[in-house]
Amino acid sequence: MQRNNYPSSVLINERRYPIRTDFADWISILQIADDPTLTESEKLIMQMQIAFPKIPADIRAAAEQMHQFIAAGASEKRAGGNKRVVDFVQDWQYILAAFQQQYGLDLSPVPRWKFWARPMHWWKFMQLFRGLTEETLIVKIMGWRSINLAKIKDKELRKKYADLKRAYALAPAGMAGQKEYTQQELLEIANKKLIELKQAKAKQQAEG
């Protein structure tokens, strides 16, 4: 059920259900979660469409497993506590640069997956992301966003970090380039994603 110690299925009511593992899919799932134009039920429909090849009958249990999978095996509190310090969509350019700088890995879609025989597992992506050092700009940015200015006594230093905090502030969750979707458009987006996944799988099998 596992590949390289990373799970490829989840246990629901004593039955194993395959779950998609490509990190790009899980970034899409996180983006959906932050979309203010969607209701909670619409978000769940779209997320389930992406996460599961076949959506389990027990939706509530499946949703719980999906959220646990997003955590990628982590139980510790994220940097900054409850403060939002990173957005995988808004910060993608910095994350892309950080992976290239520290690991020599190109996560850009062209050429797609040049360095792997298969797409990178979400848990592996998160493991590498958590391992980024302060030599990378994204880690510095996360630190600037989480810093408590009230604790900095030096006025010049406080102003410096206030400017950095403001310069790299995140847009409100889900407000970066969002639009209103009709129910039909939502279903079309979900179906299009499924078609893309099937085509990618067929292409991979043909090339393999």
Side-chain angles (χ1 to χ4, degrees):
M1 293 297 175
Q2 296 185 345
R3 220 177 257 175
N4 298 326
N5 296 321
Y6 301 124
S8 58
S9 65
V10 294
L11 184 63
I12 300 175
N13 299 328
E14 300 183 354
R15 177 181 172 185
R16 283 278 170 189
Y17 288 86
I19 193 166
R20 292 193 172 93
T21 61
D22 185 347
F23 82 91
D25 292 326
W26 289 90
I27 289 177
S28 295
I29 287 171
L30 290 174
Q31 184 179 24
I32 290 169
D34 286 338
D35 193 331
T37 69
L38 304 177
T39 66
E40 291 306 310
S41 60
E42 288 168 342
K43 290 178 183 180
L44 186 60
I45 290 172
M46 294 184 69
Q47 290 174 322
M48 290 286 188
Q49 290 267 22
I50 297 172
F52 295 98
K54 182 178 181 181
I55 299 176
D58 191 337
I59 298 297
R60 178 174 296 181
E64 290 177 356
Q65 288 298 316
M66 181 175 68
H67 292 145
Q68 288 184 27
F69 196 88
I70 289 175
S75 57
E76 75 277 4
K77 292 183 178 180
R78 63 184 178 179
N82 293 324
K83 189 184 296 292
R84 181 166 163 263
V85 296
V86 65
D87 184 298
F88 287 110
V89 178
Q90 295 182 46
D91 291 328
W92 185 244
Q93 60 177 321
Y94 305 124
I95 297 170
L96 194 71
F99 271 66
Q100 182 70 58
Q101 175 185 335
Q102 184 164 323
Y103 302 120
L105 298 178
D106 184 1
L107 297 181
S108 59
V110 182
R112 186 169 173 81
W113 313 127
K114 179 179 179 181
F115 295 95
W116 295 279
R118 63 178 67 88
M120 185 187 290
H121 195 288
W122 168 243
W123 284 34
K124 179 176 182 178
F125 169 83
M126 286 302 298
Q127 185 180 58
L128 293 174
F129 178 76
R130 291 170 184 142
L132 291 173
T133 70
E134 292 186 359
E135 296 299 314
T136 61
L137 181 57
I138 184 59
V139 174
K140 293 178 182 177
I141 289 172
M142 291 166 65
W144 296 332
R145 288 171 179 164
S146 64
I147 198 167
N148 187 343
L149 296 174
K151 293 184 177 181
I152 301 177
K153 303 302 181 183
D154 185 280
K155 290 184 178 180
E156 291 187 6
L157 193 59
R158 184 167 63 246
K159 183 182 182 303
K160 172 186 174 181
Y161 283 118
D163 290 341
L164 288 167
K165 195 179 183 79
R166 182 167 48 253
Y168 290 98
L170 286 170
M175 296 303 291
Q178 298 295 344
K179 58 161 285 187
E180 290 286 344
Y181 293 101
T182 65
Q183 181 67 26
Q184 183 59 37
E185 286 175 328
L186 289 172
L187 292 174
E188 288 175 357
I189 290 170
N191 288 331
K192 182 180 179 181
K193 182 63 178 177
L194 286 176
I195 291 172
E196 289 175 352
L197 288 169
K198 290 178 181 178
Q199 289 176 339
K201 183 177 180 181
K203 182 179 179 180
Q204 186 180 36
Q205 290 176 339
E207 292 176 349

